[in-house]
Amino acid sequence: QVQLVESGGGWMQPGGSLRLSCTASGFTLDYYNVGWFRQTPGKEREGMSCIGSGDGTTYYADSVKGRFTITRDTAKNTGYLQMNSLKPEDTAVYYCATLFDQSGDQVAGGFCRFLLSWVDTWGQGTQVTVSS
């Protein structure tokens, strides 16, 4: 079955770190953009970080730039989001997602900012709670 399985969420104190994982099964990530989106009650789901399927270009929302890092490991068929210097404002449900791009010419920022409705596959979501 085609799916994305997320892990790594949980509770963390402000200033701490978490690493989210997104493992694909039933397909390979070679020709897909990978993104991390988050959603809080009463707000739309927003793209926080995305990585392109081609040369690995990345995008980060202003709110997480300099603190979060997105990577992908083709051998493990897994995408990651390293979250450092966590703030209470980072509390949300985090979803990984993919978008097919065989040509590898998609811009990472385009996926995160404009292509939410075109996502191929969503992860199940993982709760991240940052509080003291």
Side-chain angles (χ1 to χ4, degrees), residues 16-125:
S17 298
L18 289 172
R19 188 178 74 161
L20 306 183
S21 298
C22 176
T23 299
S25 62
F27 70 105
T28 63
L29 295 175
D30 293 2
Y31 300 107
Y32 289 82
N33 302 103
V34 177
W36 289 93
F37 300 75
R38 73 186 185 190
Q39 187 169 25
T40 56
K43 299 185 67 177
E44 298 288 334
R45 193 171 298 181
E46 297 179 290
M48 293 294 100
S49 183
C50 293
I51 186 168
S53 63
D55 59 1
T57 55
T58 58
Y59 165 87
Y60 299 94
D62 289 341
S63 59
V64 304
K65 192 175 299 181
R67 299 187 297 118
F68 290 10
T69 303
I70 186 171
T71 58
R72 62 193 297 159
D73 187 331
T74 301
K76 296 181 179 179
N77 211 28
T78 298
Y80 302 94
L81 184 68
Q82 178 67 45
M83 305 185 293
N84 297 327
S85 302
L86 284 165
K87 304 176 180 179
E89 304 93 276
D90 296 319
T91 297
V93 178
Y94 285 72
Y95 300 87
C96 65
T98 58
L99 179 66
F100 182 71
D101 179 24
Q102 183 179 357
S103 63
D105 60 359
Q106 292 293 326
V107 178
F111 182 28
C112 263
R113 294 188 291 165
F114 307 118
L115 300 178
L116 175 65
S117 63
W118 298 98
V119 165
D120 296 313
T121 307
W122 287 102
Q124 82 277 13

